[in-house]
Amino acid sequence: MAQITATEVEMVQALDAEGNRTPCPEYDDALSTLGAADLRRMYQDMVLLRRFDTQATALQRQGELGLWPPSLGQEAAQIGLGQALRPQDFVFGSYREHGVAFSRGLQPADLLGVFRGTSHGGWDPQKHRFHTYAIVIGTQTLHATGYAMGMNLQGRVGNQDPERDVATVTCFGDGATSQGDVSEALTFAGAYHAPVLFYCQNNQWAISEPVHTQTSADLYRRGEGFGIPGIRVDGNDVLACWAVAQTALEKVRSGAGPLFIEAYTYRRGPHTTADDPTKYRSGAEVEAWERRDPILRMQRYLSREGIIDDAAETELEERAEQFAAEVREACKAMPDPAPADMFSHAYREPHLLVQEEQENYLAYLASLDEEDEQ
Amino acid sequence: MSTAPTEAAEFKLPDVGEGLTEADIASWKVAVGDTVTVNQVLVEIETAKALVELPSPQAGVIEALLAEAGQTVQVGTPIVRFAGEGANDDAAPPQEDGTSAETPAQEQQGEEKTGNTLVGYGASAERRRARRRRGREPQPPRQTPSEPDSSPGPAGRADHDRPGAETGARSGPALASPPVRKLAKDLGIDLREVPPTGLRGNVTRQDLLDYHQRRQPAQQVPATAQPTSSAQTSQTKEETRIPVAGVRKATAAAMVSSAFTAPHVTVFLDVDVTESLEFLAELKQEPVLAHVKITPMLLLARAVCWAVGRNPMVNGRFTEEQIILSPEVNLGIAAATERGLIVPNIKSAQQMSLVQLAEALAALTERAREGKTTPAEMKDGTLTITNVGVFGVDSGTPILNPGESAIVAFGRIRRIPWEHQDQIALRQVTTLAVSADHRILDGKEMALFLSDIGRALADPKVMLL
């Protein structure tokens, strides 16, 4: 299997795999605005995200979740984007955007509900400006494009008002780019000049399909024919991801039209807990990407810069363990929804047919209880 | 929903793969008495999809492991019991076969205790009980005199003591999944006679197999057998029962399919390999080969590739309409691993230099040993070598890897008296065997192929020809 090394793929990078700060001419100005507290927060968020993710994977193995899609390895791509967002921006993601979700103020229990089967969505998308996870591959790119076209019509773009102008973001994977939905979204976004950022996390694998069997072209150039410029960033470099996303989001808010970012990263875990990646890829490939770990390189950089020390590391470790314990408790404490709940979200207004179906179903359940009491 | 204080004292086998109903216990990572931490790996299980490690849901001391390695366990069955304040004294003791034998009363109790955590997202206890009642219609007792165990007495197993468990054939269809129905049909068993233990009153595969095993001796007991026979059987030693699962199951299916599809013929040849062993010893001194293992197996692999070039039919596969000759020799190497026999193959082995072949052999063996062989490595093989000599035997009549036309067995190399230059000398001799598919190859082709391999092993120089 072909091994791809950092030097072979041209992409924006600010930290190399060893955590050395590399020159990044176009983005050095933006990066210089980051203070020690910002950098520490990026690092901490990545560590907490990983601890959350490994705990959620364990919960699935313990029978507490029906399924879990791990984000292991994609922390930098998600936290970098998350921290570049402004409160008024709106994100439409896939089902693996746990890091972006946390940056929108969502709590572990919010994310776990769907996978525990206690919720159909999990949160109020408007409140968090973060849509519920899209399970259907690529569909969220259309939702985002439509939303962005609406923002255009409402005049929420290009007012040179960074507090008010809205960027719409859609997160999707390399596999989604093979879906018709994504091409349709690119078509409309390009034609309507929609203020949407296409943020593609190329994690190299669409379940068992490697990216090179899906396309022979670079993904970041996918938008060009639709009139959407693209850029590739090292998705395991949180600084580069933040800088590229932050710059792109500003352009989108300013009315420059849609943009495409390919964050070049790697899914180190299974596609979901229901598949076995050892059956379709080599251990050597996974190990090669472990050496490019996003958290490790940031840790090396921050230690060298004196922004974190051993005491801070210990504290963070304890915090992560405490966080994991809270995740376990929050998961197990989630109440089972009442059977009638599933009918209550179908329509906003009362609906005769749904009401009838609800009554029939509740009557059926009641009849089972009666039978039981006999 | 009730939450008794004893809840979570047991860890039930979860569905780790979206709709799986069972898994095999591959290996335990903890033992009774061990103190474990949250998320510490307890056990490795093998599902239809993957090998998966299960982390502990709680900290505590392992009081009991409720299933054995190799056993197939239904999702939702307790597999670990924790000691301490969560200990569940009511839990039924594990049976010889590892399944818990609960009386109906205990079953209901257990269900209430854990109704909301069956596999994390199951139905509530009340709901399931309601369904189960509907699944289990009142059963008219029916005597089956041919069942020796049905007589009351200490010899019967716990679940035989359950009143009516064995003897009731229910009216109406029995609940069971299609594969279980198929198996019942194959075994000639009326599902309605099998006591169900499934969550919905359904007959599980294990129920069926248990019933089948109990029925076996019953059929062999002569009609005149005295009732004392059950007391006698209780004194005989327990049989060891190894579930057929995982690689064993796959091997069994492949061998049956091959043995009863391709008419096998095996030919043998003894070869003096003394000079080749000396040649291999010389090769080891070559710097370019310093990093690889130079073994007789390597030489045989090379010899087989060479012989295939001279006898291309052995690399073919038979279909009803045509014989398809592969341009590549994808050389399968039968590997005995902890998990059983697997046959990964070296793709395009005929194109490889000796160094490449040695490297490929080493890599293949190592991955097989580590259990990392991928399905791709096991696909598209054209011809196989099985090295039975490493187990100390002279030869064998190997069964073809399904879809292939020939398999070469490599016997042990032993020092025996042998005619050498008109004298009796102690020589290093091995026995080669080739089993082949007689639909493609006649005796002549098989013999020519084997004698070519033999020539190359006796004198590797012929491969230069």
Side-chain angles (χ1 to χ4, degrees):
Chain A
M1 200 165 293
Q3 291 292 316
I4 301 157
T5 62
T7 48
E8 282 169 25
V9 179
E10 205 174 300
M11 55 192 175
V12 177
Q13 191 185 61
L15 283 181
D16 66 18
E18 274 68 48
N20 301 310
R21 182 73 170 75
T22 52
C24 191
E26 272 183 75
Y27 297 97
D28 279 342
D29 284 351
L31 286 166
S32 67
T33 65
L34 290 173
D38 298 319
L39 299 174
R40 213 177 286 126
R41 196 178 137 214
M42 286 179 183
Y43 173 63
Q44 287 169 354
D45 282 0
M46 288 198 291
V47 170
L48 294 177
L49 168 60
R50 179 165 295 180
R51 191 62 193 87
F52 164 75
D53 182 62
T54 52
Q55 180 57 58
T57 302
L59 283 167
Q60 200 284 331
R61 297 304 188 213
Q62 289 155 359
E64 299 294 341
L65 299 177
L67 183 76
W68 183 249
S71 53
L72 180 66
Q74 297 178 227
E75 291 86 356
Q78 298 192 358
I79 297 297
L81 169 68
Q83 299 214 3
L85 294 166
R86 285 184 168 275
Q88 72 272 18
D89 294 337
F90 205 116
V91 181
F92 294 80
S94 78
Y95 44 78
R96 205 192 298 280
E97 320 301 353
H98 319 314
V100 188
F102 283 143
S103 76
R104 304 308 278 172
L106 287 158
Q107 298 301 309
D110 297 327
L111 302 183
L112 297 177
V114 166
F115 299 102
R116 190 172 167 84
T118 59
S119 165
H120 282 162
W123 58 87
D124 178 350
Q126 287 297 341
K127 182 178 157 206
H128 294 281
R129 310 286 292 163
F130 186 80
H131 201 267
T132 52
Y133 278 175
I135 306 295
V136 178
I137 304 298
T139 183
Q140 72 275 19
T141 57
L142 285 166
H143 306 157
T145 301
Y147 189 90
M149 287 161 65
M151 290 297 101
N152 255 351
L153 294 172
Q154 289 184 7
R156 296 290 305 273
V157 179
N159 305 302
Q160 310 311 316
D161 182 353
E163 303 300 322
R164 195 170 170 277
D165 287 342
V166 174
T168 305
V169 182
T170 179
C171 299
F172 53 101
D174 46 293
T177 63
S178 301
Q179 291 281 344
D181 294 32
V182 175
S183 291
E184 291 162 21
L186 291 168
T187 301
F188 275 80
Y192 283 83
H193 211 60
V196 55
L197 172 62
F198 289 88
Y199 193 82
C200 176
Q201 285 168 71
N202 176 0
N203 69 17
Q204 314 298 334
W205 288 93
I207 308 190
S208 56
E209 284 297 296
V211 69
H212 61 78
T213 66
Q214 302 189 62
T215 176
S216 53
D218 289 331
L219 283 181
Y220 76 97
R221 300 187 58 189
R222 177 59 58 92
E224 282 176 13
F226 300 91
I228 303 174
I231 187 163
R232 180 159 54 200
V233 60
D234 184 341
N236 284 12
D237 172 355
V238 70
L239 294 185
C241 287
W242 175 85
V244 170
Q246 196 259 1
T247 309
L249 286 166
E250 271 180 12
K251 282 186 193 162
V252 169
R253 286 187 210 105
S254 74
L259 290 171
F260 191 112
I261 294 175
E262 175 191 359
Y264 197 83
T265 179
Y266 192 74
R267 187 196 84 212
R268 297 218 317 246
H271 169 72
T272 69
T273 46
D275 85 317
D276 178 2
T278 63
K279 289 188 174 164
Y280 52 77
R281 66 187 187 188
S282 72
E285 180 185 302
V286 179
E287 281 159 25
W289 279 93
E290 275 169 9
R291 288 193 289 276
R292 308 186 58 213
D293 184 58
I295 295 180
L296 188 61
R297 74 171 75 174
M298 189 63 170
Q299 183 201 38
R300 284 171 172 162
Y301 172 64
L302 295 185
S303 304
R304 207 174 294 131
E305 294 291 310
I307 294 172
I308 55 169
D309 55 18
D310 287 350
E313 283 285 273
T314 311
E315 196 190 320
L316 180 57
E317 251 171 59
E318 284 165 9
R319 206 174 128 199
E321 280 315 305
Q322 177 60 32
F323 184 50
E326 287 165 17
V327 170
R328 290 195 290 272
E329 278 163 32
C331 177
K332 292 173 190 174
M334 263 187 263
D336 280 354
D341 282 5
M342 71 174 117
F343 298 95
S344 55
H345 302 300
Y347 288 94
R348 187 175 168 186
E349 308 294 334
H351 190 283
L352 278 179
L353 179 64
V354 174
Q355 221 166 316
E356 191 190 323
E357 285 173 348
Q358 175 173 345
E359 282 158 17
N360 287 343
Y361 185 63
L362 293 179
Y364 164 70
L365 293 181
S367 75
L368 292 182
D369 288 340
E370 275 164 30
E371 198 177 320
D372 196 34
E373 282 156 17
Q374 278 165 11
Chain B
M1 213 162 292
S2 67
T3 45
T6 53
E7 191 177 11
E10 285 178 341
F11 179 41
K12 296 180 168 62
L13 182 73
D15 170 9
V16 296
E18 281 190 286
L20 298 172
T21 58
E22 61 180 29
D24 298 346
I25 304 290
S27 60
W28 285 102
K29 305 297 180 191
V30 293
V32 171
D34 284 2
T35 303
V36 298
T37 55
V38 175
N39 292 343
Q40 180 179 335
V41 173
L42 297 175
V43 61
E44 192 175 39
I45 62 169
E46 183 168 16
T47 72
K49 295 179 174 182
L51 267 178
V52 174
E53 290 179 334
L54 299 184
S56 177
Q58 64 175 81
V61 176
I62 305 289
E63 189 179 276
L65 304 180
L66 304 175
E68 288 165 21
Q71 189 181 328
T72 303
V73 181
Q74 297 291 311
V75 165
T77 308
I79 54 172
V80 176
R81 190 163 66 238
F82 293 95
E85 55 176 23
N88 185 348
D89 297 334
D90 295 342
Q95 282 298 94
E96 308 95 279
D97 60 356
T99 57
S100 87
E102 294 177 312
T103 65
Q106 281 172 329
E107 256 181 294
Q108 289 216 336
Q109 206 180 355
E111 221 181 334
E112 266 192 10
K113 267 180 252 160
T114 57
N116 59 341
T117 53
L118 169 69
V119 284
Y121 50 96
S124 70
E126 298 89 86
R127 202 90 300 127
R128 282 217 323 279
R129 201 169 62 231
R131 293 210 184 102
R132 173 194 286 252
R133 281 180 58 92
R134 299 190 314 137
R136 284 195 170 169
E137 297 301 323
Q139 301 164 9
R142 204 198 69 169
Q143 289 300 323
T144 49
S146 64
E147 290 275 346
D149 283 358
S150 67
S151 59
R157 283 168 30 170
D159 50 355
H160 292 196
D161 297 342
R162 229 156 73 184
E166 273 291 61
T167 53
R170 286 164 299 284
S171 55
L175 289 175
S177 65
V180 174
R181 286 183 187 286
K182 167 80 166 60
L183 181 59
K185 199 176 165 190
D186 293 347
L187 296 172
I189 290 174
D190 180 351
L191 273 175
R192 288 174 299 180
E193 291 178 0
V194 181
T197 66
L199 287 172
R200 293 176 189 79
N202 53 310
V203 176
T204 65
R205 174 176 291 267
Q206 199 58 46
D207 295 340
L208 181 59
L209 293 174
D210 287 349
Y211 180 81
H212 178 59
Q213 277 175 353
R214 289 200 300 271
R215 206 178 64 147
Q216 291 292 67
Q219 287 176 338
Q220 287 154 16
V221 172
T224 55
Q226 296 302 306
T228 52
S229 63
S230 73
Q232 282 166 356
T233 41
S234 73
Q235 285 162 2
T236 57
K237 290 206 175 92
E238 274 293 309
E239 293 166 314
T240 304
R241 289 171 185 180
I242 300 163
V244 176
V247 174
R248 180 81 264 143
K249 205 183 229 167
T251 304
M255 290 303 99
V256 168
S257 137
S258 176
F260 297 112
T261 307
H264 285 57
V265 173
T266 309
V267 288
F268 300 90
L269 181 67
D270 289 334
V271 184
D272 177 353
V273 294
T274 313
E275 278 165 29
S276 296
L277 295 182
E278 284 161 12
F279 172 59
L280 289 178
E282 281 169 33
L283 276 184
K284 282 180 190 166
Q285 308 306 319
E286 290 293 327
V288 63
L289 294 171
H291 69 291
V292 290
K293 278 173 82 177
I294 304 298
T295 61
M297 182 66 181
L298 172 63
L299 184 64
L300 177 66
R302 189 60 184 274
V304 167
C305 290
W306 173 76
V308 170
R310 296 163 55 88
N311 304 273
M313 290 297 279
V314 300
N315 205 38
R317 65 180 192 277
F318 185 87
T319 67
E320 289 305 324
E321 293 79 27
Q322 50 201 346
I323 292 167
I324 301 164
L325 297 184
S326 170
E328 306 288 349
V329 180
N330 295 338
L331 187 63
I333 306 293
T337 71
E338 274 179 22
R339 289 173 58 194
L341 171 69
I342 60 168
V343 189
N345 62 71
I346 299 170
K347 302 279 187 291
S348 306
Q350 86 285 0
Q351 292 180 353
M352 290 185 172
S353 68
L354 198 66
V355 184
Q356 288 170 325
L357 195 57
E359 285 169 348
L361 262 176
L364 171 143
T365 317
E366 194 185 326
R367 278 199 301 280
R369 195 177 297 134
E370 292 175 357
K372 289 180 176 166
T373 303
T374 62
E377 286 176 284
M378 292 192 276
K379 263 178 61 181
D380 304 327
T382 60
L383 194 123
T384 295
I385 297 178
T386 174
N387 189 350
V388 296
V390 292
F391 303 113
V393 300
D394 294 339
S395 191
T397 57
I399 295 179
L400 292 164
N401 204 17
E404 299 178 9
S405 298
I407 180 166
V408 182
F410 192 16
R412 84 187 154 111
I413 298 172
R414 63 233 191 257
R415 234 165 110 79
I416 56 168
W418 192 259
E419 187 275 332
H420 179 61
Q421 294 174 351
D422 297 332
Q423 303 281 327
I424 300 289
L426 280 177
R427 301 289 289 175
Q428 304 272 14
V429 175
T430 187
T431 303
L432 297 172
V434 169
S435 286
D437 183 346
H438 210 330
R439 292 174 302 178
I440 300 185
L441 303 168
D442 296 328
K444 179 186 161 198
E445 283 89 27
M446 293 176 209
L448 287 175
F449 176 55
L450 179 57
S451 84
D452 275 341
I453 300 173
R455 280 173 65 203
L457 270 197
D459 180 8
K461 288 194 292 291
V462 300
M463 288 194 271
L464 294 172
L465 298 175

